[in-house]
């Protein structure tokens, strides 16, 4: 691995902290710096883990370019700093734009200064809502699904591929990430640095500070353990809406591959997710969580959909698997049991964050 100093912005967050620990274990000689303003509630709980792994932490804000440019020279930047909630972008679009778009633009100033490469964590939310919700749906006993014959415009029974349109309303969150992607691709060309973009579906696992509007898998499990109300929102209040789910360790496997093979992957944009094999409806999630926790909770229903919601999202991993050989290794049971065990092991600390 050629990179001596790796900066992870948002490095105290769910993805950033897990990646930092994973990469440090894999490449102990690498100097890894996590940069984070600790705005996500619970991010501070990751600091002892980072320190124990000999990872440097710097408190700072990607919205303040001077704080980024005050950092030492870096060789690779992994951009994990974000306001990652769609609903938060409805409430405060300016903050989402500042954090996600301006923050990435500021980070690019640093990569330009140092001739550093960049790995960008984007989102399936770049794909617009109306075309996704226009895909014909069939209703099964425990979930909604697409027709097996679906195969049009980048959408198939397998999932959504990179050729699906990005034109249309995709929320300020989705747009902030899409515009960041475009900026990055332009910087790569103009500055002769390397980079790769990955649009992830739902990611879950230990150290995700799940809340009602972001990190739904962790939130759902935590409410079973710690108490709190849960509701199936929208889609007839049935809980049949579907997401694919990627275990955080599968994300780390993929990013580590990208770190080692940036020359080959340079300038490309990929989708990556749990795909059909690791997908779940909320209703199915409830049944699985009941088994693991031994807790049966009453789940309420709300008929009205939430703003910016989509009924089904599944990733077509064909492009990323063809290019890298990577595919998800952990199933939904492992996502749930690993997250459950983490909450149990850190219950006292997590009670004030996850409840
Ligand atoms: N978690 C998912 O399901 C998911 C899915 C697709 C894409 N992503 C992307 O992955 C990346 C990481 O997401 P996550 O799940 O780890 O979110 P997270 O909220 O756990 O982590 C983001 C971190 O960024 C920090 N941060 C926020 N604003 C900042 C600022 N102005 N300056 C410095 N740090 C700041 C937060 O304190 C937090 O620690 C994001 O870019 C997100 O869009 C996440």
């Amino acid at each position: 691995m050629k990179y001596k100093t790796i900066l992870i912005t948002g490095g105290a967050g769910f993805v950033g902290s897990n990646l930092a620990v994973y990469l440090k274990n894999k490449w102990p000689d690498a100097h890894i710096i996590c940069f984070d303003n600790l705005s996500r509630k619970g991010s501070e709980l990751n600091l002892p883990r980072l320190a124990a792994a000999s990872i440097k932490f710097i408190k700072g804000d990607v919205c303040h370019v001077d704080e980024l440019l005050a950092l030492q020279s870096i060789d690779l930047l992994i951009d994990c700093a974000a306001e990652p909630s769609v609903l938060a972008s409805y409430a405060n679009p300016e903050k989402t734009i500042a954090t996600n778009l301006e923050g990435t633009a500021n980070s690019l100033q640093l990569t330009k200064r140092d001739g550093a490469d960049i790995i960008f964590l984007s989102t399936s939310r770049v794909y617009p809502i109306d075309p996704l919700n226009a895909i014909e749906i069939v209703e099964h006993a425990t979930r909604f699904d697409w027709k097996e014959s679906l195969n049009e415009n980048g959408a198939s029974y397998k999932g959504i591929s990179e050729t699906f349109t990005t034109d249309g309303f995709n929320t300020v969150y989705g747009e902030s990430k899409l515009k960041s992607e475009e900026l990055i691709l332009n910087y790569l060309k103009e500055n002769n640095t390397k980079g790769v973009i990955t649009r992830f579906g739902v990611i879950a696992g230990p150290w995700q500070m799940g809340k009602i509007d972001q990190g739904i898998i962790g939130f759902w499990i935590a409410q079973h353990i710690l108490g709190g109300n849960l509701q199936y929102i929208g889609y007839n209040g049935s809980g049949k809406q579907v997401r694919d789910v990627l275990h955080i360790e599968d994300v780390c496997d993929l990013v580590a591959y990208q770190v080692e093979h940036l020359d080959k992957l340079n300038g490309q944009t990929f989708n990556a997710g749990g795909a059909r094999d690791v997908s779940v409806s909320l209703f199915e999630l409830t049944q699985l969580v009941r088994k693991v926790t031994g807790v049966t909770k009453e789940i309420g229903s709300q008929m009205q959909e939430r703003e910016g919601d989509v009924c089904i999202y599944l990733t077509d991993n064909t492009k990323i698997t063809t290019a890298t050989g990577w595919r998800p290794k952990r199933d939904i049971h492992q996502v749930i049991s690993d997250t459950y065990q983490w909450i149990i092991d850190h219950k006292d600390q997590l009670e004030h964050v996850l409840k």
Side-chain angles (χ1 to χ4, degrees):
M1 201 279 289
K2 68 178 180 184
Y3 300 108
K4 288 195 172 64
T5 303
I6 300 175
L7 177 72
I8 304 181
T9 57
F14 166 50
V15 175
S17 65
N18 278 298
L19 256 180
V21 172
Y22 180 103
L23 297 179
K24 187 69 183 173
N25 279 335
K26 192 171 173 73
W27 295 302
D29 292 340
H31 179 42
I32 298 184
I33 305 167
C34 286
F35 181 91
D36 197 300
N37 69 354
L38 301 180
S39 57
R40 176 76 181 247
K41 191 176 173 191
S43 283
E44 68 285 354
L45 299 180
N46 283 312
L47 299 186
R49 289 171 69 216
L50 298 178
S54 303
I55 293 159
K56 185 170 176 180
F57 174 72
I58 295 178
K59 187 168 180 200
D61 194 325
V62 291
C63 299
H64 300 153
V65 72
D66 52 321
E67 292 181 15
L68 283 165
L69 295 177
L71 296 171
Q72 67 177 92
S73 177
I74 61 161
D75 304 304
L76 172 69
L77 188 146
I78 305 180
D79 186 335
C80 297
E83 172 42 77
S85 157
V86 172
L87 284 183
S89 83
Y90 272 84
N92 192 345
E94 297 78 16
K95 185 173 176 223
T96 296
I97 293 165
T99 307
N100 297 2
L101 181 54
E102 291 168 27
T104 297
N106 291 339
S107 302
L108 284 166
Q109 281 200 47
L110 178 61
T111 60
K112 182 181 161 202
R113 183 195 73 183
D114 294 344
D117 295 338
I118 183 164
I119 290 178
F120 184 64
L121 280 93
S122 191
T123 170
S124 58
R125 286 301 197 145
V126 299
Y127 298 116
I129 288 161
D130 289 348
L132 285 173
N133 281 337
I135 299 171
E136 196 179 340
I137 279 170
V138 286
E139 184 168 0
H140 298 305
T142 63
R143 65 162 70 189
F144 295 118
D145 205 342
W146 294 325
K147 289 189 155 176
E148 287 187 42
S149 56
L150 174 66
N151 196 359
E152 57 193 24
N153 307 323
S156 74
Y157 187 63
K158 272 197 274 189
I160 301 299
S161 81
E162 296 80 358
T163 59
F164 197 80
T165 185
T166 51
D167 283 344
F169 169 64
N170 56 0
T171 76
V172 167
Y173 170 59
E175 189 63 15
S176 69
K177 301 291 282 188
L178 185 62
K179 284 285 171 280
S180 296
E181 290 185 5
E182 290 168 5
L183 266 186
I184 289 166
L185 294 176
N186 280 286
Y187 263 71
L188 295 182
K189 289 246 191 257
E190 290 181 10
N191 297 290
N192 201 24
T193 53
K194 298 195 167 51
V196 66
I197 291 164
T198 315
R199 297 170 175 166
F200 286 100
V202 168
I203 305 169
W207 300 101
Q208 183 172 39
M209 305 302 164
K211 50 189 182 123
I212 189 153
D213 62 346
Q214 206 271 335
I216 186 66
I217 305 287
F219 177 76
W220 210 257
I221 300 169
Q223 301 316 295
H224 278 78
I225 301 168
L226 305 173
N229 292 329
L230 288 174
Q231 277 196 319
Y232 297 131
I233 298 177
Y235 311 104
N236 303 326
S238 62
K240 291 187 185 179
Q241 56 267 52
V242 171
R243 293 289 183 277
D244 61 0
V245 182
L246 194 55
H247 194 296
I248 183 64
E249 287 290 306
D250 280 314
V251 174
C252 292
D253 287 347
L254 176 58
V255 174
Y257 181 95
Q258 292 176 332
V259 170
E260 275 192 293
H261 298 90
L262 254 190
D263 286 349
K264 181 176 91 172
L265 303 173
N266 182 37
Q268 297 197 63
T269 301
F270 296 99
N271 288 352
R276 178 167 286 280
D277 284 351
V278 197
S279 68
V280 73
S281 71
L282 268 184
F283 178 81
E284 292 163 351
L285 179 65
T286 303
Q287 317 312 312
L288 295 169
V289 172
R290 282 179 182 169
K291 273 197 196 133
V292 173
T293 60
V295 176
T296 299
K297 268 186 87 67
E298 197 64 36
I299 314 285
S301 284
Q302 183 185 306
M303 301 302 275
Q304 185 60 41
E305 275 101 59
R306 283 198 310 204
E307 290 161 315
D309 209 356
V310 293
C311 183
I312 302 177
Y313 189 86
L314 298 171
T315 309
D316 181 349
N317 281 327
T318 304
K319 183 178 175 190
I320 190 92
T321 301
T322 305
T324 67
W326 172 92
R327 63 181 76 242
K329 286 193 205 136
R330 287 93 181 164
D331 64 14
I332 192 69
H333 299 278
Q334 189 168 350
V335 173
I336 294 170
S337 55
D338 288 355
T339 308
Y340 167 73
Q341 198 54 52
W342 165 68
I343 297 172
I344 293 295
D345 291 347
H346 300 82
K347 203 171 165 196
D348 291 347
Q349 282 178 301
L350 291 173
E351 203 131 19
H352 83 282
V353 178
L354 298 181
K355 201 168 162 187

